[in-house]
Amino acid sequence: MTNNNASALPTPSDLDECAAMTVADALKIILANSYAIYLKTKNFHWHVSGPYFRDYHLILDEQAAEILAVTDAIAERARKTGNTTIRSIGDIARHQTIKDNDAEFVTPQDMLGELRADNLHMVESFRRAKDVADKAKDNATSGLIDAWRTRLSAVRGSSSKSAASALPGKPTSGITPRRGR
């Protein structure tokens, strides 16, 4: 049963209503993009193939876990502004700005290149949301955005270095790539 009564979700906030709505809208985009890039990363994790399967498979799984770990905090922060957040897959689709990849086959190099571009897009989404939060004088959201960017940048950086070293002709140290699959 659906309750369309907005008063059923009262959450105190010291932000004025317009500022809170703008911050929540920016957070919805970040959350939708987080789920979009999470699912794309898992898609690539499940479908990667080639001589460096194991390296890429592990890297993609690590990155997906880090992305998913941030989603709850993003949604909870939107609620703390007194607004609602993402409610469904359809809601994610309406708010995401990262494109899905439904291709039957994607080369590992194309997978990594696409995820790199998507991660750069996420950085821009975080920057825009931080600007919105700063303009609304929402210091809590602004600080959390910095923390989320730092956390996700750390895993992107370590994954990018691992992935770069796993490119053909550059096996990772300590990990022997399995051939095939």
PDB file of all heavy atoms in Angstrom, residues 6-41:
ATOM      1  N   ALA A   6       3.010  13.340   2.370  1.00  0.00           N
ATOM      2  CA  ALA A   6       4.392  13.781   2.586  1.00  0.00           C
ATOM      3  C   ALA A   6       4.696  13.981   4.066  1.00  0.00           C
ATOM      4  O   ALA A   6       5.835  13.852   4.488  1.00  0.00           O
ATOM      5  CB  ALA A   6       4.667  15.064   1.813  1.00  0.00           C
ATOM      6  N   SER A   7       3.684  14.267   4.864  1.00  0.00           N
ATOM      7  CA  SER A   7       3.936  14.488   6.285  1.00  0.00           C
ATOM      8  C   SER A   7       4.301  13.192   7.001  1.00  0.00           C
ATOM      9  O   SER A   7       4.733  13.213   8.142  1.00  0.00           O
ATOM     10  CB  SER A   7       2.724  15.146   6.953  1.00  0.00           C
ATOM     11  OG  SER A   7       1.629  14.250   6.909  1.00  0.00           O
ATOM     12  N   ALA A   8       4.155  12.057   6.319  1.00  0.00           N
ATOM     13  CA  ALA A   8       4.531  10.781   6.915  1.00  0.00           C
ATOM     14  C   ALA A   8       6.044  10.642   7.025  1.00  0.00           C
ATOM     15  O   ALA A   8       6.530   9.755   7.692  1.00  0.00           O
ATOM     16  CB  ALA A   8       3.962   9.633   6.098  1.00  0.00           C
ATOM     17  N   LEU A   9       6.790  11.508   6.370  1.00  0.00           N
ATOM     18  CA  LEU A   9       8.243  11.437   6.383  1.00  0.00           C
ATOM     19  C   LEU A   9       8.888  12.696   6.955  1.00  0.00           C
ATOM     20  O   LEU A   9       9.876  13.186   6.414  1.00  0.00           O
ATOM     21  CB  LEU A   9       8.770  11.212   4.954  1.00  0.00           C
ATOM     22  CG  LEU A   9       8.339   9.929   4.266  1.00  0.00           C
ATOM     23  CD1 LEU A   9       8.751   9.954   2.802  1.00  0.00           C
ATOM     24  CD2 LEU A   9       8.924   8.725   4.959  1.00  0.00           C
ATOM     25  N   PRO A  10       8.376  13.248   8.034  1.00  0.00           N
ATOM     26  CA  PRO A  10       8.977  14.483   8.533  1.00  0.00           C
ATOM     27  C   PRO A  10      10.380  14.227   9.081  1.00  0.00           C
ATOM     28  O   PRO A  10      10.598  13.291   9.845  1.00  0.00           O
ATOM     29  CB  PRO A  10       8.022  14.924   9.640  1.00  0.00           C
ATOM     30  CG  PRO A  10       7.415  13.652  10.126  1.00  0.00           C
ATOM     31  CD  PRO A  10       7.318  12.766   8.905  1.00  0.00           C
ATOM     32  N   THR A  11      11.318  15.013   8.632  1.00  0.00           N
ATOM     33  CA  THR A  11      12.694  14.931   9.116  1.00  0.00           C
ATOM     34  C   THR A  11      13.167  16.354   9.350  1.00  0.00           C
ATOM     35  O   THR A  11      13.200  17.159   8.418  1.00  0.00           O
ATOM     36  CB  THR A  11      13.609  14.249   8.078  1.00  0.00           C
ATOM     37  OG1 THR A  11      13.053  12.966   7.759  1.00  0.00           O
ATOM     38  CG2 THR A  11      15.006  14.076   8.610  1.00  0.00           C
ATOM     39  N   PRO A  12      13.538  16.662  10.584  1.00  0.00           N
ATOM     40  CA  PRO A  12      13.976  18.033  10.856  1.00  0.00           C
ATOM     41  C   PRO A  12      15.250  18.379  10.088  1.00  0.00           C
ATOM     42  O   PRO A  12      16.140  17.555   9.939  1.00  0.00           O
ATOM     43  CB  PRO A  12      14.254  18.031  12.365  1.00  0.00           C
ATOM     44  CG  PRO A  12      13.795  16.723  12.885  1.00  0.00           C
ATOM     45  CD  PRO A  12      13.560  15.808  11.739  1.00  0.00           C
ATOM     46  N   SER A  13      15.319  19.596   9.595  1.00  0.00           N
ATOM     47  CA  SER A  13      16.500  20.082   8.885  1.00  0.00           C
ATOM     48  C   SER A  13      16.619  21.579   9.133  1.00  0.00           C
ATOM     49  O   SER A  13      15.616  22.284   9.200  1.00  0.00           O
ATOM     50  CB  SER A  13      16.352  19.823   7.382  1.00  0.00           C
ATOM     51  OG  SER A  13      17.427  20.405   6.669  1.00  0.00           O
ATOM     52  N   ASP A  14      17.857  22.038   9.269  1.00  0.00           N
ATOM     53  CA  ASP A  14      18.055  23.475   9.469  1.00  0.00           C
ATOM     54  C   ASP A  14      18.197  24.219   8.132  1.00  0.00           C
ATOM     55  O   ASP A  14      18.400  25.420   8.109  1.00  0.00           O
ATOM     56  CB  ASP A  14      19.264  23.738  10.364  1.00  0.00           C
ATOM     57  CG  ASP A  14      20.566  23.234   9.780  1.00  0.00           C
ATOM     58  OD1 ASP A  14      20.523  22.444   8.807  1.00  0.00           O
ATOM     59  OD2 ASP A  14      21.635  23.607  10.289  1.00  0.00           O
ATOM     60  N   LEU A  15      18.062  23.497   7.007  1.00  0.00           N
ATOM     61  CA  LEU A  15      18.130  24.123   5.687  1.00  0.00           C
ATOM     62  C   LEU A  15      16.751  24.621   5.301  1.00  0.00           C
ATOM     63  O   LEU A  15      15.746  24.005   5.630  1.00  0.00           O
ATOM     64  CB  LEU A  15      18.591  23.106   4.642  1.00  0.00           C
ATOM     65  CG  LEU A  15      19.965  22.475   4.845  1.00  0.00           C
ATOM     66  CD1 LEU A  15      20.195  21.409   3.776  1.00  0.00           C
ATOM     67  CD2 LEU A  15      21.057  23.522   4.799  1.00  0.00           C
ATOM     68  N   ASP A  16      16.718  25.743   4.565  1.00  0.00           N
ATOM     69  CA  ASP A  16      15.409  26.174   4.080  1.00  0.00           C
ATOM     70  C   ASP A  16      14.927  25.163   3.045  1.00  0.00           C
ATOM     71  O   ASP A  16      15.709  24.407   2.474  1.00  0.00           O
ATOM     72  CB  ASP A  16      15.436  27.612   3.551  1.00  0.00           C
ATOM     73  CG  ASP A  16      16.151  27.776   2.223  1.00  0.00           C
ATOM     74  OD1 ASP A  16      15.762  27.107   1.248  1.00  0.00           O
ATOM     75  OD2 ASP A  16      17.095  28.586   2.160  1.00  0.00           O
ATOM     76  N   GLU A  17      13.643  25.122   2.802  1.00  0.00           N
ATOM     77  CA  GLU A  17      13.029  24.074   1.986  1.00  0.00           C
ATOM     78  C   GLU A  17      13.601  24.007   0.572  1.00  0.00           C
ATOM     79  O   GLU A  17      13.871  22.927   0.052  1.00  0.00           O
ATOM     80  CB  GLU A  17      11.520  24.292   1.933  1.00  0.00           C
ATOM     81  CG  GLU A  17      10.765  23.114   1.364  1.00  0.00           C
ATOM     82  CD  GLU A  17       9.261  23.286   1.467  1.00  0.00           C
ATOM     83  OE1 GLU A  17       8.781  23.871   2.448  1.00  0.00           O
ATOM     84  OE2 GLU A  17       8.582  22.837   0.540  1.00  0.00           O
ATOM     85  N   CYS A  18      13.823  25.139  -0.061  1.00  0.00           N
ATOM     86  CA  CYS A  18      14.360  25.159  -1.432  1.00  0.00           C
ATOM     87  C   CYS A  18      15.795  24.643  -1.472  1.00  0.00           C
ATOM     88  O   CYS A  18      16.157  23.860  -2.355  1.00  0.00           O
ATOM     89  CB  CYS A  18      14.305  26.566  -2.020  1.00  0.00           C
ATOM     90  SG  CYS A  18      12.632  27.087  -2.425  1.00  0.00           S
ATOM     91  N   ALA A  19      16.599  25.077  -0.510  1.00  0.00           N
ATOM     92  CA  ALA A  19      17.992  24.619  -0.458  1.00  0.00           C
ATOM     93  C   ALA A  19      18.051  23.125  -0.196  1.00  0.00           C
ATOM     94  O   ALA A  19      18.834  22.397  -0.825  1.00  0.00           O
ATOM     95  CB  ALA A  19      18.761  25.382   0.614  1.00  0.00           C
ATOM     96  N   ALA A  20      17.224  22.643   0.713  1.00  0.00           N
ATOM     97  CA  ALA A  20      17.207  21.218   1.035  1.00  0.00           C
ATOM     98  C   ALA A  20      16.794  20.393  -0.172  1.00  0.00           C
ATOM     99  O   ALA A  20      17.373  19.332  -0.437  1.00  0.00           O
ATOM    100  CB  ALA A  20      16.270  20.953   2.210  1.00  0.00           C
ATOM    101  N   MET A  21      15.809  20.859  -0.927  1.00  0.00           N
ATOM    102  CA  MET A  21      15.352  20.136  -2.107  1.00  0.00           C
ATOM    103  C   MET A  21      16.457  20.084  -3.161  1.00  0.00           C
ATOM    104  O   MET A  21      16.691  19.046  -3.769  1.00  0.00           O
ATOM    105  CB  MET A  21      14.092  20.785  -2.690  1.00  0.00           C
ATOM    106  CG  MET A  21      13.526  20.036  -3.876  1.00  0.00           C
ATOM    107  SD  MET A  21      13.065  18.336  -3.514  1.00  0.00           S
ATOM    108  CE  MET A  21      11.514  18.596  -2.698  1.00  0.00           C
ATOM    109  N   THR A  22      17.165  21.186  -3.351  1.00  0.00           N
ATOM    110  CA  THR A  22      18.244  21.234  -4.331  1.00  0.00           C
ATOM    111  C   THR A  22      19.367  20.281  -3.945  1.00  0.00           C
ATOM    112  O   THR A  22      19.886  19.557  -4.791  1.00  0.00           O
ATOM    113  CB  THR A  22      18.779  22.681  -4.454  1.00  0.00           C
ATOM    114  OG1 THR A  22      17.674  23.536  -4.771  1.00  0.00           O
ATOM    115  CG2 THR A  22      19.818  22.794  -5.531  1.00  0.00           C
ATOM    116  N   VAL A  23      19.741  20.270  -2.680  1.00  0.00           N
ATOM    117  CA  VAL A  23      20.776  19.354  -2.197  1.00  0.00           C
ATOM    118  C   VAL A  23      20.311  17.914  -2.388  1.00  0.00           C
ATOM    119  O   VAL A  23      21.057  17.067  -2.882  1.00  0.00           O
ATOM    120  CB  VAL A  23      21.145  19.640  -0.723  1.00  0.00           C
ATOM    121  CG1 VAL A  23      22.036  18.550  -0.156  1.00  0.00           C
ATOM    122  CG2 VAL A  23      21.826  21.007  -0.600  1.00  0.00           C
ATOM    123  N   ALA A  24      19.076  17.621  -2.017  1.00  0.00           N
ATOM    124  CA  ALA A  24      18.545  16.262  -2.163  1.00  0.00           C
ATOM    125  C   ALA A  24      18.520  15.835  -3.632  1.00  0.00           C
ATOM    126  O   ALA A  24      18.818  14.677  -3.946  1.00  0.00           O
ATOM    127  CB  ALA A  24      17.154  16.170  -1.554  1.00  0.00           C
ATOM    128  N   ASP A  25      18.175  16.746  -4.530  1.00  0.00           N
ATOM    129  CA  ASP A  25      18.171  16.421  -5.961  1.00  0.00           C
ATOM    130  C   ASP A  25      19.585  16.075  -6.442  1.00  0.00           C
ATOM    131  O   ASP A  25      19.764  15.127  -7.214  1.00  0.00           O
ATOM    132  CB  ASP A  25      17.606  17.578  -6.779  1.00  0.00           C
ATOM    133  CG  ASP A  25      16.105  17.750  -6.598  1.00  0.00           C
ATOM    134  OD1 ASP A  25      15.434  16.792  -6.147  1.00  0.00           O
ATOM    135  OD2 ASP A  25      15.602  18.858  -6.894  1.00  0.00           O
ATOM    136  N   ALA A  26      20.569  16.840  -6.002  1.00  0.00           N
ATOM    137  CA  ALA A  26      21.959  16.557  -6.373  1.00  0.00           C
ATOM    138  C   ALA A  26      22.389  15.198  -5.815  1.00  0.00           C
ATOM    139  O   ALA A  26      23.092  14.431  -6.490  1.00  0.00           O
ATOM    140  CB  ALA A  26      22.880  17.663  -5.864  1.00  0.00           C
ATOM    141  N   LEU A  27      21.968  14.886  -4.597  1.00  0.00           N
ATOM    142  CA  LEU A  27      22.309  13.599  -3.998  1.00  0.00           C
ATOM    143  C   LEU A  27      21.612  12.441  -4.718  1.00  0.00           C
ATOM    144  O   LEU A  27      22.187  11.349  -4.845  1.00  0.00           O
ATOM    145  CB  LEU A  27      21.965  13.588  -2.509  1.00  0.00           C
ATOM    146  CG  LEU A  27      22.841  14.497  -1.638  1.00  0.00           C
ATOM    147  CD1 LEU A  27      22.302  14.550  -0.214  1.00  0.00           C
ATOM    148  CD2 LEU A  27      24.299  14.055  -1.655  1.00  0.00           C
ATOM    149  N   LYS A  28      20.392  12.670  -5.216  1.00  0.00           N
ATOM    150  CA  LYS A  28      19.697  11.625  -5.978  1.00  0.00           C
ATOM    151  C   LYS A  28      20.486  11.270  -7.238  1.00  0.00           C
ATOM    152  O   LYS A  28      20.577  10.096  -7.613  1.00  0.00           O
ATOM    153  CB  LYS A  28      18.292  12.076  -6.380  1.00  0.00           C
ATOM    154  CG  LYS A  28      17.251  11.861  -5.333  1.00  0.00           C
ATOM    155  CD  LYS A  28      15.870  12.237  -5.867  1.00  0.00           C
ATOM    156  CE  LYS A  28      14.820  12.064  -4.801  1.00  0.00           C
ATOM    157  NZ  LYS A  28      13.474  12.412  -5.279  1.00  0.00           N
ATOM    158  N   ILE A  29      21.022  12.269  -7.898  1.00  0.00           N
ATOM    159  CA  ILE A  29      21.815  12.012  -9.103  1.00  0.00           C
ATOM    160  C   ILE A  29      23.060  11.212  -8.752  1.00  0.00           C
ATOM    161  O   ILE A  29      23.394  10.234  -9.428  1.00  0.00           O
ATOM    162  CB  ILE A  29      22.168  13.334  -9.820  1.00  0.00           C
ATOM    163  CG1 ILE A  29      20.892  13.960 -10.397  1.00  0.00           C
ATOM    164  CG2 ILE A  29      23.217  13.107 -10.913  1.00  0.00           C
ATOM    165  CD1 ILE A  29      21.064  15.384 -10.879  1.00  0.00           C
ATOM    166  N   ILE A  30      23.748  11.600  -7.676  1.00  0.00           N
ATOM    167  CA  ILE A  30      24.934  10.858  -7.254  1.00  0.00           C
ATOM    168  C   ILE A  30      24.564   9.421  -6.898  1.00  0.00           C
ATOM    169  O   ILE A  30      25.256   8.475  -7.267  1.00  0.00           O
ATOM    170  CB  ILE A  30      25.626  11.553  -6.061  1.00  0.00           C
ATOM    171  CG1 ILE A  30      26.301  12.834  -6.521  1.00  0.00           C
ATOM    172  CG2 ILE A  30      26.655  10.623  -5.413  1.00  0.00           C
ATOM    173  CD1 ILE A  30      26.900  13.633  -5.387  1.00  0.00           C
ATOM    174  N   LEU A  31      23.470   9.250  -6.174  1.00  0.00           N
ATOM    175  CA  LEU A  31      23.048   7.908  -5.778  1.00  0.00           C
ATOM    176  C   LEU A  31      22.671   7.065  -6.994  1.00  0.00           C
ATOM    177  O   LEU A  31      23.095   5.904  -7.108  1.00  0.00           O
ATOM    178  CB  LEU A  31      21.884   7.994  -4.791  1.00  0.00           C
ATOM    179  CG  LEU A  31      21.422   6.666  -4.190  1.00  0.00           C
ATOM    180  CD1 LEU A  31      22.552   5.963  -3.441  1.00  0.00           C
ATOM    181  CD2 LEU A  31      20.243   6.913  -3.254  1.00  0.00           C
ATOM    182  N   ALA A  32      21.912   7.639  -7.913  1.00  0.00           N
ATOM    183  CA  ALA A  32      21.536   6.907  -9.125  1.00  0.00           C
ATOM    184  C   ALA A  32      22.771   6.536  -9.936  1.00  0.00           C
ATOM    185  O   ALA A  32      22.900   5.404 -10.423  1.00  0.00           O
ATOM    186  CB  ALA A  32      20.570   7.744  -9.966  1.00  0.00           C
ATOM    187  N   ASN A  33      23.705   7.460 -10.068  1.00  0.00           N
ATOM    188  CA  ASN A  33      24.947   7.176 -10.791  1.00  0.00           C
ATOM    189  C   ASN A  33      25.779   6.121 -10.074  1.00  0.00           C
ATOM    190  O   ASN A  33      26.429   5.293 -10.712  1.00  0.00           O
ATOM    191  CB  ASN A  33      25.757   8.448 -10.992  1.00  0.00           C
ATOM    192  CG  ASN A  33      25.226   9.309 -12.112  1.00  0.00           C
ATOM    193  OD1 ASN A  33      24.491   8.841 -12.974  1.00  0.00           O
ATOM    194  ND2 ASN A  33      25.583  10.583 -12.103  1.00  0.00           N
ATOM    195  N   SER A  34      25.768   6.161  -8.751  1.00  0.00           N
ATOM    196  CA  SER A  34      26.516   5.158  -7.978  1.00  0.00           C
ATOM    197  C   SER A  34      25.974   3.762  -8.269  1.00  0.00           C
ATOM    198  O   SER A  34      26.742   2.818  -8.477  1.00  0.00           O
ATOM    199  CB  SER A  34      26.438   5.454  -6.483  1.00  0.00           C
ATOM    200  OG  SER A  34      27.092   6.669  -6.186  1.00  0.00           O
ATOM    201  N   TYR A  35      24.642   3.636  -8.260  1.00  0.00           N
ATOM    202  CA  TYR A  35      24.059   2.325  -8.573  1.00  0.00           C
ATOM    203  C   TYR A  35      24.307   1.935 -10.020  1.00  0.00           C
ATOM    204  O   TYR A  35      24.572   0.763 -10.327  1.00  0.00           O
ATOM    205  CB  TYR A  35      22.565   2.294  -8.253  1.00  0.00           C
ATOM    206  CG  TYR A  35      22.302   2.041  -6.792  1.00  0.00           C
ATOM    207  CD1 TYR A  35      21.697   3.006  -6.005  1.00  0.00           C
ATOM    208  CD2 TYR A  35      22.668   0.837  -6.202  1.00  0.00           C
ATOM    209  CE1 TYR A  35      21.457   2.777  -4.655  1.00  0.00           C
ATOM    210  CE2 TYR A  35      22.437   0.600  -4.859  1.00  0.00           C
ATOM    211  CZ  TYR A  35      21.828   1.566  -4.096  1.00  0.00           C
ATOM    212  OH  TYR A  35      21.603   1.329  -2.767  1.00  0.00           O
ATOM    213  N   ALA A  36      24.254   2.886 -10.942  1.00  0.00           N
ATOM    214  CA  ALA A  36      24.505   2.592 -12.357  1.00  0.00           C
ATOM    215  C   ALA A  36      25.934   2.111 -12.566  1.00  0.00           C
ATOM    216  O   ALA A  36      26.172   1.117 -13.270  1.00  0.00           O
ATOM    217  CB  ALA A  36      24.218   3.821 -13.222  1.00  0.00           C
ATOM    218  N   ILE A  37      26.889   2.793 -11.956  1.00  0.00           N
ATOM    219  CA  ILE A  37      28.291   2.388 -12.134  1.00  0.00           C
ATOM    220  C   ILE A  37      28.594   1.110 -11.346  1.00  0.00           C
ATOM    221  O   ILE A  37      29.390   0.282 -11.775  1.00  0.00           O
ATOM    222  CB  ILE A  37      29.268   3.535 -11.803  1.00  0.00           C
ATOM    223  CG1 ILE A  37      30.636   3.253 -12.425  1.00  0.00           C
ATOM    224  CG2 ILE A  37      29.385   3.762 -10.322  1.00  0.00           C
ATOM    225  CD1 ILE A  37      31.578   4.426 -12.394  1.00  0.00           C
ATOM    226  N   TYR A  38      27.904   0.920 -10.220  1.00  0.00           N
ATOM    227  CA  TYR A  38      28.063  -0.334  -9.474  1.00  0.00           C
ATOM    228  C   TYR A  38      27.621  -1.505 -10.354  1.00  0.00           C
ATOM    229  O   TYR A  38      28.348  -2.496 -10.508  1.00  0.00           O
ATOM    230  CB  TYR A  38      27.236  -0.306  -8.179  1.00  0.00           C
ATOM    231  CG  TYR A  38      27.063  -1.676  -7.572  1.00  0.00           C
ATOM    232  CD1 TYR A  38      28.102  -2.276  -6.862  1.00  0.00           C
ATOM    233  CD2 TYR A  38      25.885  -2.386  -7.743  1.00  0.00           C
ATOM    234  CE1 TYR A  38      27.961  -3.548  -6.331  1.00  0.00           C
ATOM    235  CE2 TYR A  38      25.736  -3.660  -7.218  1.00  0.00           C
ATOM    236  CZ  TYR A  38      26.778  -4.243  -6.515  1.00  0.00           C
ATOM    237  OH  TYR A  38      26.628  -5.505  -6.000  1.00  0.00           O
ATOM    238  N   LEU A  39      26.427  -1.406 -10.943  1.00  0.00           N
ATOM    239  CA  LEU A  39      25.918  -2.506 -11.750  1.00  0.00           C
ATOM    240  C   LEU A  39      26.778  -2.719 -12.999  1.00  0.00           C
ATOM    241  O   LEU A  39      27.037  -3.865 -13.392  1.00  0.00           O
ATOM    242  CB  LEU A  39      24.461  -2.258 -12.137  1.00  0.00           C
ATOM    243  CG  LEU A  39      23.757  -3.455 -12.772  1.00  0.00           C
ATOM    244  CD1 LEU A  39      23.836  -4.698 -11.893  1.00  0.00           C
ATOM    245  CD2 LEU A  39      22.313  -3.111 -13.060  1.00  0.00           C
ATOM    246  N   LYS A  40      27.243  -1.641 -13.608  1.00  0.00           N
ATOM    247  CA  LYS A  40      28.115  -1.790 -14.777  1.00  0.00           C
ATOM    248  C   LYS A  40      29.421  -2.470 -14.376  1.00  0.00           C
ATOM    249  O   LYS A  40      29.926  -3.349 -15.083  1.00  0.00           O
ATOM    250  CB  LYS A  40      28.414  -0.430 -15.416  1.00  0.00           C
ATOM    251  CG  LYS A  40      29.251  -0.558 -16.680  1.00  0.00           C
ATOM    252  CD  LYS A  40      29.641   0.783 -17.248  1.00  0.00           C
ATOM    253  CE  LYS A  40      28.471   1.476 -17.879  1.00  0.00           C
ATOM    254  NZ  LYS A  40      28.871   2.698 -18.594  1.00  0.00           N
ATOM    255  N   THR A  41      29.965  -2.094 -13.228  1.00  0.00           N
ATOM    256  CA  THR A  41      31.213  -2.699 -12.755  1.00  0.00           C
ATOM    257  C   THR A  41      31.006  -4.190 -12.486  1.00  0.00           C
ATOM    258  O   THR A  41      31.850  -5.020 -12.843  1.00  0.00           O
ATOM    259  CB  THR A  41      31.716  -1.969 -11.494  1.00  0.00           C
ATOM    260  OG1 THR A  41      31.890  -0.579 -11.800  1.00  0.00           O
ATOM    261  CG2 THR A  41      33.040  -2.535 -11.020  1.00  0.00           C
TER     262      THR A  41
END
